């Protein structure tokens, strides 16, 4: 090399002569040095070896020069002919040339000539596409895993499993779950042609021995890829009911993957693609395997959950209070809002039970402190003791004493509060209530004019301490009166600011219910409580039990009361 | 509308207005005995009657106690109709509930009864069921869809929370009720898969080919990156106090309660307005509340002063100032 840099030299010359005049054929020849030296290389040579394809067009659009790289990219392009692919205008262009992806930049040269610099971006774009696809697969797996793990109901879970991969993995997906208990194979598949999700059951025995498809995967626990299927093979891989559907969409390839569930036999996922989709790539096969793994975890969780749920539900059903019976001379209504089962069973109970005395019936409400299965079980046992004692004709205080005696035998950590009472209705329609309150929030009663009064008790709670004596109190209720029993979950419920609802608010709200039917009364009280709490969570069971003594002629309409100016707080509509 | 049914409306209203359960039940039992279909009794008698009850309560003609009594008797009537109406075998199951914060459980019961007639098995959740409880029961229920009713727009954020938990487990949600605005304009903001004008349209949509079996999670709300509406609702107590302080002192204790309750609703409505990104809700509320105040001889300027106090405290909340100014213009 001479040490003369062509471009450095050119800059000096540009100041003397217009650049365009020095250009020939679209490229700039090096400036002839002052001292003539034999040229050792030409710019043409440089262009020939460039990886960037260069095509120079005349103003008319015919090719007047192209380098080797351009020849490779545009094999049908020759000097002296027109080439339609690179556009005559614009400054950049992206497109496909045969199987190559290219990106071009257009530069205007002298005399209306122009050049296209074309780069082959196939490899670059392929890497980009692979990254994007990888990201899509990750997102799909994350999304699928989240949705699968949020569902424990078996039927919805299988629906999800078969519909989730619809766009990402296959055109048709089936989940086959073998059951060793009844020897059946249950297959769920999402529709290929818009029909609803289908479920078919077949014998496991015949599937087990199949040379291909679900049965074989069940035996070998290894995936199967069928890159090209005919109808006969398709019929072996999918349930008979689905064959016509799949033929209609021209099913081409299938992938059968075992779903590991740590069971005697795995479940099996079958993915089918139609002719319009691409065949399964290696990455997609591993995506299907990953998906199957997540499905396996979800199926296993669901199975465990259902089993446990069935047990909890059995227990919970035994604890949920039944409908209240009709009793002579009174109207009773209750609201029970248990805290969700996931937190364990609550210990609240209430019931209305018969007594051997004619015209007298008994009621009980109670709360075993704590949560969980032992508490729930003890709560139902307590109720049973109170009920049995009432049917045997024991007075309220005696019933409570019997319950206390039973407590001494059980778990010493269990403590409960309760109210139990008898209600006898006289021929004149008024009622006499005898009740015992052991540490429970004392009842409120509202007279016919809507005045609310509280009762007071000093008896201890039921803790199984030998020698505890419970007292009894009597209350005469005139027709039109209402007695309200409630759990501490009502008055101790706290709103978002930590402020408790309190007895005062309950009394106030009870007064605002004067004249309502007793069902509407408890409903409204519950509603007032919930509105007051707002978004704050309810952390204890809420029980409201109201006993109303109606007027004698059993006329529930109470027209005078409705018109009566009760101390109703000024109400405001809930919204605009 | 059938004449047989609508003729009974006044008598039915009289019965429920007196909490005359026996009278109302007998009336409806007779109608059913004459061969009137249960869904017709519901749409032509029960729903118009409830609408009338609502109006009488709003105008102050009926007390709260009377309104509750009437709703209670109507509830009994709906159960009677539901029990007396034959149910075709059901192809799909749906969970029907109120938006969290809305207490119109009777609307759910009526919708459920009407859907059952159309062969959709409906399970009603009691009002007050929250998003958390829905999230716990939904994955284990056999429900294919959820229907959420909302009568008051202030419950829309609650509806949104419920839609989110349902769609997160892939269960599509249909919504309806006046709370979603005229023509269901806010149903999309809540993230529902569909909005139905009435029970008939709801049944058609649920049975239709376009109703999804499984849905994707609810789309995010782009205008709420930091849940501003929650921020406003959390400031309720100080905002109401500031608003009360800004207003002229009121002598009458009853009017003061109205004002205080009104300002609480104003803050909630403002929060929902921001949530919906639609100031119309708040402006309409302001117009209505100003009328109520006029009846109570409270000048409108007092409310404008309260709004200015709100605006001063909500300077950091984007959109709140503009909405308050818009409503202030009405005053």
């Amino acid at each position: 090399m001479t040490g003369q840099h062509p471009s450095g030299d050119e800059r000096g010359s540009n100041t003397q002569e217009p650049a365009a005049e020095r250009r020939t054929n679209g490229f700039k020849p090096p400036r002839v040095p002052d001292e003539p030296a034999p040229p050792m290389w030409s710019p043409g040579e440089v262009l020939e070896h460039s990886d960037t394809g260069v095509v120079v067009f005349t103003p008319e659009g015919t090719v007047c020069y192209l380098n080797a790289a351009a020849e490779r990219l545009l094999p049908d392009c020759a000097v002296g002919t027109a080439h339609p692919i690179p556009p005559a205008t614009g400054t950049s262009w992206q497109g496909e040339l045969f199987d190559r992806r290219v990106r071009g930049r257009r530069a205007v040269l002298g005399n209306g000539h122009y050049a296209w610099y074309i780069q082959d971006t196939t490899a670059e774009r392929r890497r980009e596409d692979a990254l994007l696809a990888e990201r899509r697969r990750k997102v799909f797996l994350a999304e699928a895993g989240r949705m699968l793990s949020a569902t424990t109901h078996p039927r919805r879970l299988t629906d999800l499993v078969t519909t989730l991969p619809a766009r990402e993995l296959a055109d048709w997906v089936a989940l086959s779950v073998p059951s060793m208990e009844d020897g059946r194979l249950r297959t769920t598949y999402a529709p290929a042609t818009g029909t609803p999700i289908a479920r078919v059951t077949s014998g496991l025995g015949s599937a087990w021995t199949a040379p291909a498809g679900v049965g074989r995967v069940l035996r070998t626990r290894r995936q199967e890829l069928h890159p090209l299927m005919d109808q006969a093979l398709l019929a072996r891989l999918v349930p008979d009911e689905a064959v016509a559907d799949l033929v209609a969409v021209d099913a081409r390839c299938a992938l059968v993957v075992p779903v590991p569930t740590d069971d005697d036999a795995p479940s099996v996922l079958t993915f089918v693609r139609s002719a319009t989709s691409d065949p399964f790539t290696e990455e997609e096969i591993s995506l299907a395997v990953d998906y199957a793994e997540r499905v396996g975890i979800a199926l296993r969780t669901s199975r465990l959950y259902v089993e446990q749920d069935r047990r909890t539900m059995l227990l919970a059903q035994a604890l949920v209070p039944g409908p209240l019976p009709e009793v002579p001379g009174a109207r009773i209504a209750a609201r029970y809002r248990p805290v969700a089962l996931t937190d364990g069973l609550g210990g609240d109970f209430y019931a209305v039970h018969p007594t051997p005395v004619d015209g007298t019936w008994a009621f009980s409400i109670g709360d075993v402190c704590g949560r969980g299965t032992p508490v729930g079980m003890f709560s139902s046992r307590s109720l049973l003791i109170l009920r049995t004692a009432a049917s045997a004709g024991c007075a309220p205080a005696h019933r409570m004493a019997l319950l206390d005696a039973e407590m001494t035998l059980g778990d010493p950590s269990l403590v409960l509060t309760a109210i139990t009472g008898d209600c006898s209705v006289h021929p004149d329609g008024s009622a006499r209530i005898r009740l015992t309150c052991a540490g429970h929030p004392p009842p409120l009663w509202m007279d016919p004019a809507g005045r609310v009064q509280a009762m007071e008790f000093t008896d201890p709670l039921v803790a199984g301490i030998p020698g505890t004596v419970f007292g009894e109190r009597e209350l005469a209720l005139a027709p039109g009166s209402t007695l309200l029993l409630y759990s501490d979950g009502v008055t101790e419920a706290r709103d978002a600011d930590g402020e408790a609802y309190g007895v005062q608010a309950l009394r106030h709200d009870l007064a605002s219910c004067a004249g309502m039917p007793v069902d509407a009364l408890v409903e409204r009280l519950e509603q007032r409580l919930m509105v007051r709490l707002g978004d704050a969570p309810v952390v204890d069971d809420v029980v409201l039990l109201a006993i109303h003594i109606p007027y004698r002629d059993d006329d529930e309409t109470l027209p005078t009361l409705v018109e009566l100016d009760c101390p109703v707080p000024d109400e405001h509509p809930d919204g605009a | 509308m059938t004449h047989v049914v609508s003729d009974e409306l006044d008598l039915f209203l009289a019965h429920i207005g007196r909490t005359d359960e026996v009278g109302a039940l007998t009336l409806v039992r007779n109608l059913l005995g004459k061969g009137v279909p249960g869904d017709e009794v519901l749409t032509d008698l029960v729903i118009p009657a409830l609408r009338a009850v609502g109006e009488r309560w709003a105008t102050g003609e009926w007390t709260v106690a009377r309104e509750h009594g009437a709703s209670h008797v109507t509830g009994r009537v709906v159960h009677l109709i539901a029990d007396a109406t034959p149910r075709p075998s059901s192809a799909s199951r749906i969970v029907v509930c109120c938006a969290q914060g809305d207490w119109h459980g009777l609307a759910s019961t009526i919708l459920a009864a009407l859907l059952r007639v159309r062969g959709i098995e409906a399970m009603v959740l009691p009002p007050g069921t929250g998003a958390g409880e829905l999230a716990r029961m939904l994955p284990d229920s056999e429900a294919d869809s959820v229907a959420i009713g909302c009568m008051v727009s202030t419950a829309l954020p609650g509806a949104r929370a419920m839609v989110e938990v349902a769609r997160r487990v892939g269960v599509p949600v249909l919504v309806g009720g006046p709370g979603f605005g005229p023509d269901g304009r806010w149903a999309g903001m809540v993230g529902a898969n569909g909005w139905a004008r009435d029970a008939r349209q709801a049944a058609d949509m649920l049975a239709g080919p376009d109703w999804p079996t499984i849905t994707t999670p609810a789309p995010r709300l782009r205008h709420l990156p930091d849940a501003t509406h929650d921020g406003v609702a959390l400031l309720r107590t100080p905002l109401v106090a500031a608003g009360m302080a800004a207003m002229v002192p009121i002598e009458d204790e009853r009017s003061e309660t109205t004002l205080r309750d009104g300002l609480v609703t104003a803050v909630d409505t403002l929060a929902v307005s921001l949530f919906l990104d639609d100031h119309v809700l708040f402006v309409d509320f302001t117009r209505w509340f100003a009328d109520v105040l006029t009846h109570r001889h409270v000048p409108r300027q007092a409310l404008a002063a309260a709004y200015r106090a709100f605006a001063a405290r909500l300077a950091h909340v984007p959109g709140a100032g503009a909405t308050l100014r818009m409503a202030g213009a009405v005053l």
Side-chain angles (χ1 to χ4, degrees):
Chain A
M1 282 284 150
T2 57
Q4 294 268 14
H5 201 278
S7 67
D9 208 52
E10 190 186 74
R11 182 178 289 175
S13 68
N14 273 350
T15 55
Q16 293 150 8
E17 294 165 86
E21 276 176 34
R22 301 190 49 81
R23 287 182 182 143
T24 45
N25 220 8
F27 59 88
K28 302 167 196 158
R31 164 105 159 76
V32 181
D34 289 341
E35 317 98 62
M40 294 174 79
W41 52 276
S42 73
E45 253 183 300
V46 176
L47 281 176
E48 277 310 299
H49 292 292
S50 167
D51 286 335
T52 305
V54 180
V55 192
V56 181
F57 291 85
T58 61
E60 293 77 41
T62 39
V63 177
C64 56
Y65 170 79
L66 78 163
N67 70 355
E71 263 174 49
R72 281 197 301 275
L73 284 169
L74 302 160
D76 55 346
C77 185
V79 172
T81 63
H83 198 274
I85 294 181
T89 54
T91 53
S92 70
W93 163 64
Q94 286 205 6
E96 279 183 36
L97 291 174
F98 305 98
D99 56 340
R100 319 298 295 172
R101 307 267 279 273
V102 296
R103 187 172 59 211
R105 183 171 67 82
R106 182 169 166 275
V108 179
L109 310 176
N111 292 332
H113 287 64
Y114 59 92
W116 273 103
Y117 299 86
I118 303 171
Q119 270 176 329
D120 184 351
T121 54
T122 311
E124 189 183 314
R125 294 292 293 278
R126 196 173 285 157
R127 273 197 301 275
E128 229 169 75
D129 285 354
L131 275 175
L132 282 176
E134 178 65 31
R135 204 166 72 185
R136 235 187 29 239
R137 284 194 290 270
K138 279 226 172 81
V139 168
F140 163 73
L141 267 187
E143 188 82 341
R146 198 177 49 64
M147 287 187 80
L148 289 174
S149 62
T151 307
T152 43
H153 188 268
R155 190 181 60 100
R156 277 208 73 83
L157 183 60
T158 50
D159 285 4
L160 259 185
V161 167
T162 50
T163 45
L164 276 179
R167 250 159 308 233
E168 202 60 39
L169 264 170
D171 301 306
W172 183 95
V173 184
L175 174 72
S176 307
V177 182
S179 163
M180 291 302 166
E181 280 165 34
D182 58 359
R184 309 293 283 173
L185 183 68
R186 289 182 179 76
T187 303
T188 309
Y189 57 90
T193 52
T195 44
I197 288 176
R199 292 176 185 79
V200 292
T201 305
S202 54
L204 185 55
S206 54
W208 193 262
T209 50
V214 174
R216 184 159 172 273
V217 172
L218 276 173
R219 277 200 321 275
T220 60
R221 303 193 180 205
R222 282 165 66 178
Q223 73 210 44
E224 261 181 24
L225 177 66
H226 302 280
L228 201 61
M229 289 190 294
D230 54 9
Q231 200 172 329
L233 180 56
L234 177 69
R236 284 220 298 264
L237 294 178
V238 304
D240 300 342
E241 291 85 343
V243 173
D245 242 15
L246 286 171
V247 169
V249 297
D250 201 5
R252 272 302 150 81
C253 46
L255 177 65
V256 192
V257 182
V259 177
T261 47
D262 298 348
D263 275 335
D264 302 343
S267 297
V268 177
L269 273 170
T270 309
F271 302 92
V272 176
R273 282 188 175 185
S274 68
T276 51
S277 312
D278 296 327
F280 291 99
T281 62
E282 225 167 89
E283 290 83 11
E284 282 166 338
I285 293 173
S286 77
L287 176 65
V289 171
D290 283 349
Y291 179 67
E293 207 162 283
R294 277 162 179 72
V295 170
I297 295 169
L299 285 178
R300 204 172 127 71
T301 315
S302 160
R303 213 165 289 172
L304 286 175
Y305 183 84
V306 166
E307 217 164 277
Q308 199 179 353
D309 196 46
R310 197 185 297 150
R311 269 182 249 149
T312 321
M313 283 313 285
L314 279 177
L315 195 58
Q317 269 159 14
L319 294 180
V320 167
L324 294 171
E326 293 269 327
V327 292
R331 302 264 168 139
I332 317 169
R335 292 301 276 193
Y336 176 49
R337 180 179 277 271
V339 177
L341 275 176
T342 44
D343 300 341
L345 301 163
D348 285 25
F349 62 84
Y350 69 86
V352 170
H353 17 248
T355 70
V357 185
D358 221 22
T360 299
W361 46 271
F363 56 88
S364 300
I365 178 170
D367 181 3
V368 182
C369 302
R371 302 198 67 77
T373 310
V375 168
M377 284 173 66
F378 190 75
S379 137
S380 84
R381 216 164 95 202
S382 307
L383 188 57
L384 193 68
I385 292 163
L386 291 174
R387 171 188 285 276
T388 314
S391 347
C394 302
H398 190 190
R399 298 206 284 267
M400 204 63 91
L402 285 172
L403 181 58
D404 196 49
E406 174 70 15
M407 287 291 271
T408 54
L409 306 174
D411 182 346
S413 67
L414 288 173
V415 169
L416 75 92
T417 67
I419 294 176
T420 184
D422 285 344
C423 176
S424 13
V425 180
H426 297 293
D428 66 352
S430 68
R432 193 175 57 100
I433 286 180
R434 278 171 79 190
L435 49 81
T436 293
C437 174
H440 202 77
L444 297 174
W445 66 282
M446 179 163 65
D447 67 15
R451 283 184 294 266
V452 178
Q453 289 160 60
M455 298 181 74
E456 276 179 31
F457 288 91
T458 51
D459 287 322
L461 42 70
V462 185
I465 299 163
T468 312
V469 178
F470 297 97
E472 256 176 39
R473 286 200 46 193
E474 274 194 28
L475 180 68
L477 289 181
S481 312
T482 306
L483 183 73
L484 177 73
L485 304 147
Y486 60 93
S487 67
D488 60 356
V490 176
T491 44
E492 284 169 21
R494 282 167 197 283
D495 64 14
D497 297 334
E499 202 178 313
Y501 180 62
V503 184
Q504 275 314 314
L506 181 63
R507 283 180 72 157
H508 181 259
D509 286 341
L510 178 59
S512 78
C513 298
M516 285 187 195
V518 71
D519 307 74
L521 181 143
V522 285
E523 200 174 298
R524 180 172 154 83
L525 285 180
E526 185 200 17
Q527 181 181 332
R528 297 289 301 177
L529 170 66
M530 299 310 288
V531 167
R532 186 68 181 265
L533 295 189
D535 301 333
V538 180
V539 292
D540 198 0
D541 298 354
V542 166
V543 182
L544 290 160
L545 177 70
I547 299 168
H548 178 67
I549 310 299
Y551 287 102
R552 183 68 202 107
D553 54 357
D554 208 27
D555 184 358
E556 265 290 280
T557 61
L558 317 179
T560 52
L561 255 186
V562 169
E563 257 66 67
L564 206 127
D565 189 27
C566 298
V568 174
D570 203 315
E571 275 282 322
H572 202 80
D574 298 322
Chain B
M1 224 193 218
T2 331
H3 282 291
V4 193
V5 179
S6 52
D7 284 351
E8 309 281 355
L9 184 56
D10 288 339
L11 187 57
F12 183 72
L13 263 175
H15 283 312
I16 61 174
R18 279 185 289 125
T19 329
D20 182 0
E21 205 173 307
V22 181
L25 286 173
T26 313
L27 187 152
V28 169
R29 207 172 280 130
N30 284 342
L31 279 178
L32 294 172
K34 278 189 217 157
V36 182
D39 47 337
E40 207 175 302
V41 181
L42 283 172
T43 50
D44 295 352
L45 182 72
V46 175
I47 295 177
L50 280 174
R51 216 165 268 149
V53 170
E55 280 163 20
R56 283 171 196 201
W57 168 69
T59 56
E61 195 184 325
W62 283 12
T63 61
V64 183
R66 196 162 174 192
E67 182 259 343
H68 266 74
S71 303
H72 163 71
V73 175
T74 314
R76 285 287 165 91
V77 168
V78 173
H79 281 294
L80 169 78
I81 297 170
D83 290 343
T85 313
R87 297 178 185 185
S89 63
S90 349
S92 60
R93 288 157 192 261
I94 189 165
V95 168
V96 182
C97 54
C98 294
Q100 194 172 3
D102 180 19
W103 292 92
H104 295 82
L106 198 49
S108 313
T109 319
I110 293 174
L111 176 67
L114 287 168
L115 289 180
R116 282 186 201 119
V117 174
R118 297 283 302 266
I120 296 168
E121 196 171 313
M123 178 173 152
V124 183
L125 299 184
T129 304
E133 280 161 88
L134 184 67
R136 275 191 288 269
M137 64 78 60
L138 206 52
D140 310 319
S141 73
E142 300 254 318
D144 301 304
S145 316
V146 173
I148 300 177
C150 181
M151 309 295 278
V152 288
S153 300
T154 42
L156 286 178
R160 166 86 198 177
M162 293 172 95
V163 169
E164 277 177 5
V165 300
R167 291 191 61 164
R168 202 173 295 147
V169 291
V171 182
V173 184
L174 182 68
V175 297
F180 290 101
D183 296 319
R185 62 192 290 183
W186 296 314
M189 199 63 88
V190 162
N193 296 74
W195 172 81
R197 183 176 306 281
D198 50 27
R200 193 163 298 148
Q201 198 188 358
D204 287 344
M205 285 177 77
L206 290 170
D210 296 335
W211 192 248
T213 316
I214 290 209
T215 185
T216 49
R220 279 182 197 187
L221 295 177
R222 298 205 176 278
H223 64 282
L224 284 178
D226 48 1
T228 23
H229 67 286
D230 265 356
V232 174
L234 283 176
L235 286 174
R236 189 189 292 134
T237 318
L239 279 177
V240 170
M244 290 300 284
M247 293 173 105
V248 264
I250 311 291
E251 309 282 301
D252 181 11
E253 195 184 322
R254 242 177 132 82
S255 294
E256 199 192 310
T257 317
T258 312
L259 262 180
R260 190 176 291 278
D261 285 354
L263 285 186
V264 170
T265 316
V267 174
D268 288 348
T269 312
L270 175 62
V272 176
S273 249
L274 293 177
F275 165 77
L276 295 172
D277 199 14
D278 192 342
H279 60 264
V280 170
L281 179 69
F282 189 63
V283 172
D284 284 352
F285 164 80
T286 305
R287 214 170 268 136
W288 173 85
F289 187 42
D291 285 346
V292 173
L293 290 182
T294 313
H295 284 301
R296 307 249 172 191
H297 309 294
V298 177
R300 287 168 166 240
Q301 282 71 29
L303 187 57
Y307 279 9
R308 278 194 294 275
F310 285 179
R313 261 149 216 268
L314 292 174
H316 63 286
V317 179
T323 309
L324 283 165
R325 264 198 305 284
M326 206 91 72
V330 183
L331 302 169

